[in-house]
Amino acid sequence: MTAPEAGRGIGNGESAAEITTTFVGLPRDSFRILHVSTGNVCRSPMTERLTRHFVTQRLGVLGGGLIVESAGTWGHEGAPMESNAETVLADFGADASGFTGRELLDEHVIMADLVLTATRDHRAQVISMGHSAGLRTFTLKEFTRLVRAIDPTTLPPLEDGVVLRARALVRAAAALRGWLLAPTAEADEVYDPYGAPLGFFRSVGDEIHQALDPVVTALTGVPARM
């Protein structure tokens, strides 16, 4: 990707117009992951920053055209991340700095190659926006379940680039949907910790970590360091 944002993702404080001006019309040599929750101050910021952190741990850098960002269906535009969410990120050694919340817009969905939502309701809201989002929108835990069933040897090697591998991963997961159902509806949910004590935030952070680990491993081809 030739834009200045390549390798670090766009700042969450950018307007829709700025996003459109910056990215529409650029070559498709990037892969954009969009995490979606309600307010974009708790779950999706934690998931965004943990994804960046875990990918960097595996590869040494967040780059190769991979962009990770977040938004909220009722996003608190310009709001800071909840302090308890920042504490959870610090527990994992992840960077919480410079974050500002934003409301989910059409442009975000249009440009996303993979949308991972906190709940089924969020997934339904993203899909209802149109833009052929159905095949690339999953709840986080749903995507994890599908990814676990994919033989990693069927994916392009990382030497061919993380973008090519990520696109193949999404196609494979979409092909499995409908065959691998959740044991319960609640199994695909990450519950909202907004207003909860730090202990609940930490339990949600652990849930997100456990869900992200196999996804990042499949994406990068590198398992987590013990």
Side-chain angles (χ1 to χ4, degrees):
M1 187 169 180
T2 57
E5 304 295 340
R8 65 181 178 86
I10 62 175
N12 283 44
E14 291 179 343
S15 68
E18 288 169 330
I19 294 168
T20 303
T21 300
T22 304
F23 289 103
V24 169
L26 287 178
R28 295 287 292 168
D29 57 353
S30 64
F31 186 89
R32 188 179 297 267
I33 301 173
L34 176 66
H35 294 291
V36 175
S37 62
T38 302
N40 194 216
V41 290
C42 299
R43 288 168 292 182
S44 52
M46 287 194 291
T47 314
E48 172 199 321
R49 295 305 176 94
L50 286 174
T51 302
R52 294 185 188 185
H53 179 64
F54 296 143
V55 170
T56 301
Q57 281 186 326
R58 307 297 211 281
L59 301 181
V61 65
L62 178 61
L66 187 65
I67 300 166
V68 185
E69 54 192 353
S70 63
T73 55
W74 290 87
H76 300 307
E77 190 74 31
M81 191 186 310
E82 283 288 292
S83 60
N84 282 344
E86 291 185 344
T87 299
V88 170
L89 291 176
D91 290 343
F92 285 100
D95 182 15
S97 64
F99 182 88
T100 53
R102 54 181 198 168
E103 184 175 355
L104 181 68
L105 301 174
D106 287 306
E107 288 86 351
H108 304 144
V109 177
I110 290 168
M111 292 185 292
D113 297 286
L114 172 63
V115 184
L116 296 176
T117 69
T119 70
R120 292 166 297 147
D121 282 346
H122 297 133
R123 181 185 63 194
Q125 288 181 63
V126 171
I127 293 172
S128 73
M129 295 171 73
H131 316 302
S132 303
L135 290 177
R136 51 195 167 90
T137 303
F138 309 79
T139 74
L140 172 62
K141 289 185 174 181
E142 174 192 20
F143 193 66
T144 301
R145 184 176 67 255
L146 299 172
V147 163
R148 287 183 184 275
I150 296 169
D151 180 353
T153 64
T154 64
L155 300 174
L158 189 60
E159 289 76 13
D160 290 347
V162 69
V163 169
L164 191 65
R165 187 178 176 94
R167 289 179 183 161
L169 184 66
V170 173
R171 288 195 299 270
L176 287 172
R177 185 155 49 186
W179 294 92
L180 296 175
L181 301 179
T184 65
E186 291 73 23
D188 279 345
E189 307 277 293
V190 176
Y191 291 109
D192 193 355
Y194 185 75
L198 179 57
F200 190 73
F201 268 82
R202 284 187 163 133
S203 69
V204 169
D206 287 340
E207 275 188 71
I208 292 170
H209 173 213
Q210 291 169 22
L212 280 176
D213 183 70
V215 172
V216 174
T217 297
L219 193 64
T220 64
V222 181
R225 298 188 183 100
M226 300 300 293

